[in-house]
Amino acid sequence: MVSPSDDFIEPKTVVIPGGEFLMGSETGAANEAPVHCVWIDSFALTALPITNREYLVFVQTTGHRPPPFWDSPRFGHPDQPVVGSSWYDAIAYCEWIRGLTGKPFRLPTEAEREKAARGGIEGQDYPWGNELPADFLGGRNSSLPLVGTEGPNGYGLFNMSEGVHEWCLDAYDAEYYEISPRRNPEGPKNSSRRVARGGSWRHRVRFARCAARSSLAPEKQFSDFGFRCALTIERTEN
């Protein structure tokens, strides 16, 4: 096992209990249907997106290339979520933290991310209910909020709807819900894109519904894409 850096602090995780939930939406975009019942084994998720403060230790320790917005004053606060990380960068971070801790850190699956966003409450559009807050507008001239500005939801997670799109482990298929297994779905086997979940500071409406899906090519690095880590607790066969 790699010796932890003196500056490394393991991110706080929240245990998401195993169980069934209704995934998707019949009133959202076409790729959110059909609504289907999914069983997710218990897992843990970092309470906050990975921040610049945490990512800096990774960059300094490993020599990994910083993201393209690293030196921008708009995105450089230590407590803003790191932005501009590709899916491959997010995977590399998870592998690094797994090596430091000996714990099975990874990116969350799309189904895990939606279950976590819902906070244990079925049938609501957002982690807090069905209505947008009064300050729902974003846009390219708005600013990226610090972590912790939205939430906590029912599981004690923050920024599950606002902030940055967060990379998920899965490959993306708009019609995957038609064939998704009931237990612990992990996405299609082949795709040129990867799933992302959560809202974007630069969208006109900066909050995302729990069921909203987005995707991007895994090598892309945008200023409204970040990630958080999941931690495997138990896993059963599909």
Side-chain angles (χ1 to χ4, degrees):
M1 183 186 302
V2 178
S3 297
S5 165
D6 291 339
D7 296 322
F8 172 75
I9 299 175
E10 184 177 334
K12 176 186 176 183
T13 58
V14 175
V15 174
I16 310 302
E20 294 180 336
F21 81 104
L22 293 177
M23 184 172 182
S25 172
E26 299 291 356
T27 58
N31 68 353
E32 299 168 27
V35 173
H36 54 294
C37 185
V38 171
W39 173 279
I40 296 294
D41 290 336
S42 179
F43 69 103
L45 193 66
T46 52
L48 300 164
I50 298 302
T51 63
N52 288 318
R53 187 190 308 275
E54 293 166 311
Y55 204 78
L56 175 62
V57 181
F58 167 60
V59 169
Q60 291 179 335
T61 301
T62 66
H64 194 88
R65 184 176 64 180
F69 308 99
W70 193 244
D71 295 323
S72 170
R74 295 185 66 187
F75 307 115
H77 192 286
D79 294 322
Q80 283 178 311
V82 63
V83 298
S85 54
S86 70
W87 183 84
Y88 297 112
D89 293 329
I91 291 290
Y93 182 91
C94 291
E95 291 176 348
W96 172 72
I97 194 173
R98 185 163 63 239
L100 286 175
T101 63
K103 299 177 182 179
F105 280 99
R106 54 177 174 79
L107 290 179
T109 67
E110 181 177 22
E112 288 173 335
R113 181 59 171 69
E114 182 168 332
K115 185 179 194 298
R118 293 187 177 280
I121 302 173
E122 295 280 7
Q124 294 188 160
D125 286 341
Y126 301 95
W128 58 83
N130 293 317
E131 302 299 326
L132 282 165
D135 61 341
F136 66 87
L137 292 179
R140 293 178 182 271
N141 294 323
S142 61
S143 59
L144 173 64
L146 304 183
V147 296
T149 51
E150 177 235 309
N153 72 356
Y155 288 140
L157 300 165
F158 295 83
N159 298 103
M160 296 300 284
S161 177
E162 177 197 34
V164 292
H165 297 304
E166 297 175 9
W167 291 111
C168 295
L169 189 62
D170 315 38
Y172 172 77
D173 182 346
E175 299 178 351
Y176 180 66
Y177 288 4
E178 297 283 355
I179 59 170
S180 173
R182 179 177 173 274
R183 297 186 71 89
N184 303 314
E186 297 181 348
K189 297 300 182 184
N190 297 300
S191 173
S192 61
R193 302 175 74 86
R194 296 294 182 271
V195 174
R197 288 299 190 107
S200 163
W201 65 271
R202 62 184 287 185
H203 286 191
R204 186 181 69 83
V205 176
R206 70 174 194 267
F207 296 92
R209 294 173 298 101
C210 295
R213 309 175 72 197
S214 56
S215 67
L216 193 67
E219 71 276 7
K220 297 294 186 181
Q221 296 175 292
F222 287 171
S223 63
D224 58 344
F225 270 70
F227 66 99
R228 72 179 73 208
C229 301
L231 180 61
T232 300
I233 295 177
E234 61 177 88
R235 178 65 67 185
T236 62
E237 295 297 324
N238 289 348

